[in-house]
């Protein structure tokens, strides 16, 4: 049962917010399949929760284990891209994310696009020499001439190791004509 279907279908027992009551709502678990860019969810009916907040927290925690969106590019982090501490420059990671988002935006716009904003970027972990950098994109919103694309950078440590999220951000692109003037994004 998707999370949206669980809301309101099993009301709490009516006790106050400070009281604890239990009813079976379930743990939301992603099943690893994606349809239209969204994770599907399954419910384990054996676990009890008092409210939907616990389910939402569990879903958010599980989403940190899997990339959101489509794999757009993969590249190897090399020694030439390091800072004095031996970690890969943050700017290099941002450029890889911009490349990936630009590809996704250009494919959707069927033409030229330009980056106009990058919102809320936070680096979670460093990227090291030898890491395989994987960048995933998910188009979140399409306006008349612009697109918002959620971008996540993940690494496989030493090319074959643990898969870890290193950063994410929201990129905004505008579709432009050959003269740089905004043009509408084609309808699907």
């Amino acid at each position: 049962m998707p999370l949206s279907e669980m809301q309101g279908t099993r009301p709490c027992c009516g006790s106050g917010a400070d009281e604890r009551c239990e009813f079976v709502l379930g743990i939301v678990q992603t099943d690893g399949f994606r349809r239209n860019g969204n994770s599907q969810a399954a419910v384990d009916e054996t676990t009890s929760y008092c409210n939907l907040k616990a389910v939402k927290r569990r879903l958010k925690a599980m989403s940190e284990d899997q990339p959101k969106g489509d794999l757009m590019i993969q590249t190897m982090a090399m020694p030439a891209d390091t800072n004095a501490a031996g970690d890969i420059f943050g700017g290099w990671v941002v450029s890889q994310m911009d490349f990936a988002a630009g590809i996704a935006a250009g494919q959707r716009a069927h033409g030229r696009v330009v980056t106009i904003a990058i919102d809320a970027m936070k680096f979670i972990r460093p990227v090291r020499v030898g890491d395989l950098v994987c960048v995933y994109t998910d188009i979140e919103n399409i306006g008349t001439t612009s697109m918002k694309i959620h971008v996540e950078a993940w690494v496989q440590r030493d090319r074959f190791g643990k898969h870890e999220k290193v950063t994410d951000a929201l990129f905004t692109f505008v579709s432009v004509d050959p003269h740089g003037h905004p043009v509408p994004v084609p309808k699907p």
Side-chain angles (χ1 to χ4, degrees):
M1 174 185 305
L3 182 62
S4 60
E5 290 178 22
M6 288 192 283
Q7 291 179 325
T9 60
R10 294 188 180 155
C12 200
C13 65
S15 62
D18 294 335
E19 296 178 28
R20 297 193 62 89
C21 66
E22 292 188 5
F23 64 99
V24 176
L25 181 61
I27 295 177
V28 175
Q29 298 176 333
T30 57
D31 64 9
F33 295 101
R34 294 189 183 270
R35 291 196 181 114
N36 300 326
N38 297 319
S39 292
Q40 301 298 304
V43 176
D44 175 359
E45 294 285 349
T46 63
T47 304
S48 298
Y49 285 96
C50 184
N51 61 43
L52 219 60
K53 288 182 183 178
V55 175
K56 288 180 180 179
R57 278 193 304 273
R58 176 78 173 140
L59 182 60
K60 183 177 184 210
M62 292 176 73
S63 70
E64 297 299 316
D65 295 337
Q66 296 293 322
K68 177 183 176 187
D70 298 318
L71 177 62
M72 198 56 54
I73 64 170
Q74 287 183 314
T75 189
M76 182 74 62
M78 301 298 285
D81 304 313
T82 60
N83 60 23
D87 295 323
I88 299 299
F89 280 114
W92 181 85
V93 177
V94 173
S95 71
Q96 301 307 307
M97 294 171 73
D98 193 34
F99 288 147
I103 292 168
Q107 288 175 343
R108 179 61 187 82
H110 305 290
R112 185 175 169 208
V113 294
V114 293
T115 309
I116 62 163
I118 302 172
D119 297 329
M121 177 171 257
K122 178 182 175 185
F123 288 91
I124 303 164
R125 296 173 186 87
V127 177
R128 298 182 183 98
V129 172
D131 287 348
L132 179 63
V133 178
C134 307
V135 184
Y136 297 83
T137 62
D138 184 39
I139 298 175
E140 288 194 350
N141 187 25
I142 300 173
T144 304
T145 61
S146 66
M147 292 168 272
K148 291 191 180 287
I149 301 176
H150 177 81
V151 184
E152 294 184 354
W154 289 67
V155 296
Q156 278 190 292
R157 297 292 180 196
D158 297 317
R159 296 181 310 228
F160 309 107
K162 185 176 179 183
H163 201 220
E164 297 178 319
K165 184 176 180 179
V166 294
T167 188
D168 66 353
L170 186 64
F171 284 68
T172 304
F173 285 82
V174 170
S175 177
V176 295
D177 66 17
H179 304 289
H181 299 99
V183 295
V185 176
K187 301 290 181 199

